[in-house]
Amino acid sequence: MSLDSDIIVDRRRIRRKLTFWRVAAALVAIVAIAGIALVAAPGTRGTFTSAGAIARVKIDGLIRSDSERVEALERLENSRAAAVIVHINSPGGTTAGSEQLYDSLVRLKAKKPLVVVVEGLAASGGYISAIASDHIIAQQSSLVGSIGVLFQYPNVAELLKTIGVKVEEVKSSPLKAAPNGFEPTSPEARAALDALVKDSFAWFKGLVKERRGMDDTQLEKVADGRVFTGRQAVDLKLIDQLGDEKTAVTWLVEQKGVKKGLPVRDYKLQSRLGDLSFLRAAAAMTLEALGLSSIAHQIEQSGVARAVDRLGLDGMLALWQPAASN
């Protein structure tokens, strides 16, 4: 019996050591990634040291208001970059964040030749950002458009009623903090929200009409919330040309007088430490180090991470996000 007890104790000791080293390895990996992100990436400090090069800027994922991004683009205005290629792959985000990014790109365009390349997606707020440029290039299968806005909020009134919970409140007027999600939305509150959506939609359409040189008939064809492929978007005047980064460089040389043969260098708008995708990668690495790679994969595939990102969006949204399939 004593021999069996010794074996059990040894096994437990081995398991504890294994768990310790797995956790330690995960922490070391996270620290190493953070160090590399801060030290190795020249763009994290918002500087562009390659004189005479073309700056490559990437707009990925959900768009929110971001003062760090604004400051980085302002520094790029005064850099030695010969031109800027903005790569966009975004379903949009908040209307305020999209407008802020649009304004920053317009100011940058006034100082540097600028062209936009749509990679996979430039929808809704992503398209607002794209039309800051005078020339938009997309691949044939890219998706662009989704001109429209929405206001979403959860309503748990029926759930609270079922479990016997009632939220009491005292407010200065009927439309204060309405809708609140704890009670059915009143007709007055719904009408107020409808007015907000319509006003923001009118602003969005006016921006597209002005920037893309459309008449009312052309605008009507593209302003119903749909996305279009790059092939369709050319004929609809949503974009100017089909192609990729090489096409963008050629356009800069031929139309903006940029010197031929200049290299294209990355210019990062913010540190990866400030990006939720970095945190997701670190979390996934930690789970894998603990021998839980299958759980990390299931979380990523389930769309939970994307849902958490979206929950961080407040206010009016200019967002295109099809429902995930089961």
PDB file of all heavy atoms in Angstrom, residues 172-200:
ATOM      1  N   SER A 172     -36.632  63.044 -15.295  1.00  0.00           N
ATOM      2  CA  SER A 172     -37.109  64.412 -15.479  1.00  0.00           C
ATOM      3  C   SER A 172     -38.145  64.546 -16.589  1.00  0.00           C
ATOM      4  O   SER A 172     -38.960  65.468 -16.572  1.00  0.00           O
ATOM      5  CB  SER A 172     -35.925  65.335 -15.760  1.00  0.00           C
ATOM      6  OG  SER A 172     -35.217  64.890 -16.913  1.00  0.00           O
ATOM      7  N   SER A 173     -38.102  63.664 -17.579  1.00  0.00           N
ATOM      8  CA  SER A 173     -39.044  63.740 -18.690  1.00  0.00           C
ATOM      9  C   SER A 173     -39.197  62.357 -19.307  1.00  0.00           C
ATOM     10  O   SER A 173     -38.334  61.485 -19.135  1.00  0.00           O
ATOM     11  CB  SER A 173     -38.539  64.740 -19.754  1.00  0.00           C
ATOM     12  OG  SER A 173     -37.261  64.358 -20.223  1.00  0.00           O
ATOM     13  N   PRO A 174     -40.303  62.110 -20.022  1.00  0.00           N
ATOM     14  CA  PRO A 174     -40.574  60.766 -20.547  1.00  0.00           C
ATOM     15  C   PRO A 174     -39.490  60.210 -21.460  1.00  0.00           C
ATOM     16  O   PRO A 174     -39.281  58.995 -21.514  1.00  0.00           O
ATOM     17  CB  PRO A 174     -41.896  60.966 -21.317  1.00  0.00           C
ATOM     18  CG  PRO A 174     -42.532  62.141 -20.662  1.00  0.00           C
ATOM     19  CD  PRO A 174     -41.414  63.049 -20.284  1.00  0.00           C
ATOM     20  N   LEU A 175     -38.773  61.061 -22.198  1.00  0.00           N
ATOM     21  CA  LEU A 175     -37.774  60.574 -23.146  1.00  0.00           C
ATOM     22  C   LEU A 175     -36.363  60.538 -22.574  1.00  0.00           C
ATOM     23  O   LEU A 175     -35.421  60.204 -23.293  1.00  0.00           O
ATOM     24  CB  LEU A 175     -37.795  61.439 -24.413  1.00  0.00           C
ATOM     25  CG  LEU A 175     -39.062  61.328 -25.262  1.00  0.00           C
ATOM     26  CD1 LEU A 175     -38.961  62.210 -26.499  1.00  0.00           C
ATOM     27  CD2 LEU A 175     -39.309  59.872 -25.663  1.00  0.00           C
ATOM     28  N   LYS A 176     -36.212  60.877 -21.282  1.00  0.00           N
ATOM     29  CA  LYS A 176     -34.901  60.791 -20.664  1.00  0.00           C
ATOM     30  C   LYS A 176     -34.487  59.316 -20.550  1.00  0.00           C
ATOM     31  O   LYS A 176     -35.227  58.488 -20.014  1.00  0.00           O
ATOM     32  CB  LYS A 176     -34.923  61.435 -19.276  1.00  0.00           C
ATOM     33  CG  LYS A 176     -33.596  61.348 -18.525  1.00  0.00           C
ATOM     34  CD  LYS A 176     -32.505  62.109 -19.252  1.00  0.00           C
ATOM     35  CE  LYS A 176     -31.201  62.059 -18.466  1.00  0.00           C
ATOM     36  NZ  LYS A 176     -30.102  62.722 -19.207  1.00  0.00           N
ATOM     37  N   ALA A 177     -33.279  59.008 -21.078  1.00  0.00           N
ATOM     38  CA  ALA A 177     -32.733  57.642 -21.034  1.00  0.00           C
ATOM     39  C   ALA A 177     -33.670  56.633 -21.689  1.00  0.00           C
ATOM     40  O   ALA A 177     -33.795  55.497 -21.233  1.00  0.00           O
ATOM     41  CB  ALA A 177     -32.421  57.228 -19.610  1.00  0.00           C
ATOM     42  N   ALA A 178     -34.324  57.057 -22.750  1.00  0.00           N
ATOM     43  CA  ALA A 178     -35.215  56.144 -23.477  1.00  0.00           C
ATOM     44  C   ALA A 178     -34.604  55.849 -24.858  1.00  0.00           C
ATOM     45  O   ALA A 178     -34.088  56.763 -25.508  1.00  0.00           O
ATOM     46  CB  ALA A 178     -36.599  56.772 -23.643  1.00  0.00           C
ATOM     47  N   PRO A 179     -34.650  54.583 -25.263  1.00  0.00           N
ATOM     48  CA  PRO A 179     -35.179  53.411 -24.566  1.00  0.00           C
ATOM     49  C   PRO A 179     -34.183  52.887 -23.543  1.00  0.00           C
ATOM     50  O   PRO A 179     -32.989  53.070 -23.694  1.00  0.00           O
ATOM     51  CB  PRO A 179     -35.371  52.413 -25.708  1.00  0.00           C
ATOM     52  CG  PRO A 179     -34.271  52.732 -26.651  1.00  0.00           C
ATOM     53  CD  PRO A 179     -34.130  54.241 -26.609  1.00  0.00           C
ATOM     54  N   ASN A 180     -34.696  52.231 -22.516  1.00  0.00           N
ATOM     55  CA  ASN A 180     -33.806  51.722 -21.480  1.00  0.00           C
ATOM     56  C   ASN A 180     -33.674  50.206 -21.478  1.00  0.00           C
ATOM     57  O   ASN A 180     -32.860  49.651 -20.748  1.00  0.00           O
ATOM     58  CB  ASN A 180     -34.262  52.210 -20.094  1.00  0.00           C
ATOM     59  CG  ASN A 180     -35.696  51.787 -19.784  1.00  0.00           C
ATOM     60  OD1 ASN A 180     -36.192  50.777 -20.272  1.00  0.00           O
ATOM     61  ND2 ASN A 180     -36.365  52.586 -18.961  1.00  0.00           N
ATOM     62  N   GLY A 181     -34.477  49.507 -22.268  1.00  0.00           N
ATOM     63  CA  GLY A 181     -34.363  48.055 -22.361  1.00  0.00           C
ATOM     64  C   GLY A 181     -35.045  47.299 -21.253  1.00  0.00           C
ATOM     65  O   GLY A 181     -35.127  46.068 -21.293  1.00  0.00           O
ATOM     66  N   PHE A 182     -35.542  48.012 -20.225  1.00  0.00           N
ATOM     67  CA  PHE A 182     -36.204  47.357 -19.106  1.00  0.00           C
ATOM     68  C   PHE A 182     -37.724  47.386 -19.224  1.00  0.00           C
ATOM     69  O   PHE A 182     -38.423  46.802 -18.393  1.00  0.00           O
ATOM     70  CB  PHE A 182     -35.795  48.028 -17.786  1.00  0.00           C
ATOM     71  CG  PHE A 182     -34.319  47.967 -17.520  1.00  0.00           C
ATOM     72  CD1 PHE A 182     -33.620  49.106 -17.150  1.00  0.00           C
ATOM     73  CD2 PHE A 182     -33.634  46.773 -17.639  1.00  0.00           C
ATOM     74  CE1 PHE A 182     -32.267  49.053 -16.907  1.00  0.00           C
ATOM     75  CE2 PHE A 182     -32.264  46.708 -17.395  1.00  0.00           C
ATOM     76  CZ  PHE A 182     -31.589  47.849 -17.033  1.00  0.00           C
ATOM     77  N   GLU A 183     -38.222  48.105 -20.220  1.00  0.00           N
ATOM     78  CA  GLU A 183     -39.664  48.203 -20.424  1.00  0.00           C
ATOM     79  C   GLU A 183     -39.927  48.330 -21.923  1.00  0.00           C
ATOM     80  O   GLU A 183     -39.020  48.693 -22.686  1.00  0.00           O
ATOM     81  CB  GLU A 183     -40.223  49.428 -19.686  1.00  0.00           C
ATOM     82  CG  GLU A 183     -39.615  50.746 -20.144  1.00  0.00           C
ATOM     83  CD  GLU A 183     -40.068  51.927 -19.313  1.00  0.00           C
ATOM     84  OE1 GLU A 183     -40.745  51.699 -18.294  1.00  0.00           O
ATOM     85  OE2 GLU A 183     -39.756  53.068 -19.690  1.00  0.00           O
ATOM     86  N   PRO A 184     -41.127  48.005 -22.369  1.00  0.00           N
ATOM     87  CA  PRO A 184     -41.435  48.160 -23.805  1.00  0.00           C
ATOM     88  C   PRO A 184     -41.175  49.584 -24.263  1.00  0.00           C
ATOM     89  O   PRO A 184     -41.433  50.542 -23.540  1.00  0.00           O
ATOM     90  CB  PRO A 184     -42.930  47.809 -23.866  1.00  0.00           C
ATOM     91  CG  PRO A 184     -43.170  46.924 -22.688  1.00  0.00           C
ATOM     92  CD  PRO A 184     -42.265  47.444 -21.603  1.00  0.00           C
ATOM     93  N   THR A 185     -40.627  49.707 -25.453  1.00  0.00           N
ATOM     94  CA  THR A 185     -40.303  51.030 -25.997  1.00  0.00           C
ATOM     95  C   THR A 185     -41.583  51.771 -26.356  1.00  0.00           C
ATOM     96  O   THR A 185     -42.427  51.259 -27.100  1.00  0.00           O
ATOM     97  CB  THR A 185     -39.414  50.900 -27.241  1.00  0.00           C
ATOM     98  OG1 THR A 185     -38.253  50.151 -26.890  1.00  0.00           O
ATOM     99  CG2 THR A 185     -38.992  52.263 -27.756  1.00  0.00           C
ATOM    100  N   SER A 186     -41.717  52.986 -25.844  1.00  0.00           N
ATOM    101  CA  SER A 186     -42.921  53.770 -26.107  1.00  0.00           C
ATOM    102  C   SER A 186     -42.903  54.286 -27.546  1.00  0.00           C
ATOM    103  O   SER A 186     -41.828  54.420 -28.159  1.00  0.00           O
ATOM    104  CB  SER A 186     -42.999  54.954 -25.138  1.00  0.00           C
ATOM    105  OG  SER A 186     -41.960  55.890 -25.419  1.00  0.00           O
ATOM    106  N   PRO A 187     -44.086  54.603 -28.098  1.00  0.00           N
ATOM    107  CA  PRO A 187     -44.128  55.182 -29.453  1.00  0.00           C
ATOM    108  C   PRO A 187     -43.326  56.471 -29.559  1.00  0.00           C
ATOM    109  O   PRO A 187     -42.683  56.728 -30.580  1.00  0.00           O
ATOM    110  CB  PRO A 187     -45.626  55.441 -29.670  1.00  0.00           C
ATOM    111  CG  PRO A 187     -46.312  54.471 -28.773  1.00  0.00           C
ATOM    112  CD  PRO A 187     -45.436  54.349 -27.561  1.00  0.00           C
ATOM    113  N   GLU A 188     -43.318  57.276 -28.488  1.00  0.00           N
ATOM    114  CA  GLU A 188     -42.569  58.531 -28.513  1.00  0.00           C
ATOM    115  C   GLU A 188     -41.062  58.270 -28.574  1.00  0.00           C
ATOM    116  O   GLU A 188     -40.335  58.934 -29.313  1.00  0.00           O
ATOM    117  CB  GLU A 188     -42.902  59.361 -27.267  1.00  0.00           C
ATOM    118  CG  GLU A 188     -44.323  59.870 -27.199  1.00  0.00           C
ATOM    119  CD  GLU A 188     -45.304  58.807 -26.733  1.00  0.00           C
ATOM    120  OE1 GLU A 188     -44.844  57.726 -26.271  1.00  0.00           O
ATOM    121  OE2 GLU A 188     -46.518  59.040 -26.822  1.00  0.00           O
ATOM    122  N   ALA A 189     -40.591  57.292 -27.802  1.00  0.00           N
ATOM    123  CA  ALA A 189     -39.163  56.964 -27.802  1.00  0.00           C
ATOM    124  C   ALA A 189     -38.748  56.386 -29.150  1.00  0.00           C
ATOM    125  O   ALA A 189     -37.685  56.711 -29.686  1.00  0.00           O
ATOM    126  CB  ALA A 189     -38.850  55.977 -26.679  1.00  0.00           C
ATOM    127  N   ARG A 190     -39.608  55.532 -29.706  1.00  0.00           N
ATOM    128  CA  ARG A 190     -39.292  54.945 -31.015  1.00  0.00           C
ATOM    129  C   ARG A 190     -39.249  56.031 -32.099  1.00  0.00           C
ATOM    130  O   ARG A 190     -38.394  55.993 -32.988  1.00  0.00           O
ATOM    131  CB  ARG A 190     -40.324  53.875 -31.374  1.00  0.00           C
ATOM    132  CG  ARG A 190     -39.977  53.058 -32.618  1.00  0.00           C
ATOM    133  CD  ARG A 190     -40.923  51.884 -32.777  1.00  0.00           C
ATOM    134  NE  ARG A 190     -40.794  50.957 -31.675  1.00  0.00           N
ATOM    135  CZ  ARG A 190     -39.858  50.008 -31.612  1.00  0.00           C
ATOM    136  NH1 ARG A 190     -38.966  49.892 -32.592  1.00  0.00           N
ATOM    137  NH2 ARG A 190     -39.813  49.177 -30.580  1.00  0.00           N
ATOM    138  N   ALA A 191     -40.153  56.993 -32.008  1.00  0.00           N
ATOM    139  CA  ALA A 191     -40.159  58.085 -32.989  1.00  0.00           C
ATOM    140  C   ALA A 191     -38.895  58.931 -32.868  1.00  0.00           C
ATOM    141  O   ALA A 191     -38.324  59.384 -33.872  1.00  0.00           O
ATOM    142  CB  ALA A 191     -41.404  58.951 -32.795  1.00  0.00           C
ATOM    143  N   ALA A 192     -38.427  59.165 -31.628  1.00  0.00           N
ATOM    144  CA  ALA A 192     -37.200  59.946 -31.419  1.00  0.00           C
ATOM    145  C   ALA A 192     -35.996  59.220 -32.007  1.00  0.00           C
ATOM    146  O   ALA A 192     -35.133  59.837 -32.648  1.00  0.00           O
ATOM    147  CB  ALA A 192     -36.995  60.206 -29.928  1.00  0.00           C
ATOM    148  N   LEU A 193     -35.934  57.895 -31.805  1.00  0.00           N
ATOM    149  CA  LEU A 193     -34.834  57.115 -32.374  1.00  0.00           C
ATOM    150  C   LEU A 193     -34.899  57.097 -33.891  1.00  0.00           C
ATOM    151  O   LEU A 193     -33.868  57.172 -34.576  1.00  0.00           O
ATOM    152  CB  LEU A 193     -34.878  55.683 -31.838  1.00  0.00           C
ATOM    153  CG  LEU A 193     -34.520  55.486 -30.370  1.00  0.00           C
ATOM    154  CD1 LEU A 193     -34.673  54.027 -29.980  1.00  0.00           C
ATOM    155  CD2 LEU A 193     -33.102  55.958 -30.090  1.00  0.00           C
ATOM    156  N   ASP A 194     -36.104  57.008 -34.417  1.00  0.00           N
ATOM    157  CA  ASP A 194     -36.277  57.006 -35.868  1.00  0.00           C
ATOM    158  C   ASP A 194     -35.769  58.310 -36.474  1.00  0.00           C
ATOM    159  O   ASP A 194     -35.143  58.309 -37.542  1.00  0.00           O
ATOM    160  CB  ASP A 194     -37.765  56.810 -36.199  1.00  0.00           C
ATOM    161  CG  ASP A 194     -38.008  56.696 -37.694  1.00  0.00           C
ATOM    162  OD1 ASP A 194     -37.486  55.751 -38.319  1.00  0.00           O
ATOM    163  OD2 ASP A 194     -38.696  57.585 -38.254  1.00  0.00           O
ATOM    164  N   ALA A 195     -36.004  59.421 -35.772  1.00  0.00           N
ATOM    165  CA  ALA A 195     -35.518  60.713 -36.257  1.00  0.00           C
ATOM    166  C   ALA A 195     -33.991  60.760 -36.251  1.00  0.00           C
ATOM    167  O   ALA A 195     -33.371  61.310 -37.176  1.00  0.00           O
ATOM    168  CB  ALA A 195     -36.084  61.844 -35.389  1.00  0.00           C
ATOM    169  N   LEU A 196     -33.368  60.171 -35.224  1.00  0.00           N
ATOM    170  CA  LEU A 196     -31.907  60.117 -35.167  1.00  0.00           C
ATOM    171  C   LEU A 196     -31.338  59.318 -36.336  1.00  0.00           C
ATOM    172  O   LEU A 196     -30.378  59.731 -36.987  1.00  0.00           O
ATOM    173  CB  LEU A 196     -31.452  59.479 -33.851  1.00  0.00           C
ATOM    174  CG  LEU A 196     -31.636  60.275 -32.562  1.00  0.00           C
ATOM    175  CD1 LEU A 196     -31.196  59.444 -31.365  1.00  0.00           C
ATOM    176  CD2 LEU A 196     -30.843  61.572 -32.613  1.00  0.00           C
ATOM    177  N   VAL A 197     -31.933  58.149 -36.573  1.00  0.00           N
ATOM    178  CA  VAL A 197     -31.458  57.277 -37.654  1.00  0.00           C
ATOM    179  C   VAL A 197     -31.608  57.970 -39.004  1.00  0.00           C
ATOM    180  O   VAL A 197     -30.692  57.941 -39.844  1.00  0.00           O
ATOM    181  CB  VAL A 197     -32.216  55.937 -37.627  1.00  0.00           C
ATOM    182  CG1 VAL A 197     -31.912  55.118 -38.881  1.00  0.00           C
ATOM    183  CG2 VAL A 197     -31.844  55.136 -36.379  1.00  0.00           C
ATOM    184  N   LYS A 198     -32.764  58.590 -39.239  1.00  0.00           N
ATOM    185  CA  LYS A 198     -32.999  59.252 -40.519  1.00  0.00           C
ATOM    186  C   LYS A 198     -32.046  60.426 -40.740  1.00  0.00           C
ATOM    187  O   LYS A 198     -31.567  60.648 -41.860  1.00  0.00           O
ATOM    188  CB  LYS A 198     -34.456  59.729 -40.603  1.00  0.00           C
ATOM    189  CG  LYS A 198     -35.449  58.595 -40.797  1.00  0.00           C
ATOM    190  CD  LYS A 198     -36.874  59.112 -40.879  1.00  0.00           C
ATOM    191  CE  LYS A 198     -37.852  57.964 -41.133  1.00  0.00           C
ATOM    192  NZ  LYS A 198     -39.264  58.445 -41.144  1.00  0.00           N
ATOM    193  N   ASP A 199     -31.749  61.163 -39.684  1.00  0.00           N
ATOM    194  CA  ASP A 199     -30.833  62.291 -39.818  1.00  0.00           C
ATOM    195  C   ASP A 199     -29.413  61.809 -40.148  1.00  0.00           C
ATOM    196  O   ASP A 199     -28.741  62.367 -41.023  1.00  0.00           O
ATOM    197  CB  ASP A 199     -30.819  63.109 -38.524  1.00  0.00           C
ATOM    198  CG  ASP A 199     -29.953  64.350 -38.644  1.00  0.00           C
ATOM    199  OD1 ASP A 199     -30.324  65.262 -39.404  1.00  0.00           O
ATOM    200  OD2 ASP A 199     -28.891  64.395 -38.001  1.00  0.00           O
ATOM    201  N   SER A 200     -28.963  60.766 -39.455  1.00  0.00           N
ATOM    202  CA  SER A 200     -27.632  60.224 -39.732  1.00  0.00           C
ATOM    203  C   SER A 200     -27.572  59.591 -41.120  1.00  0.00           C
ATOM    204  O   SER A 200     -26.550  59.686 -41.812  1.00  0.00           O
ATOM    205  CB  SER A 200     -27.262  59.176 -38.674  1.00  0.00           C
ATOM    206  OG  SER A 200     -27.124  59.766 -37.407  1.00  0.00           O
TER     207      SER A 200
END
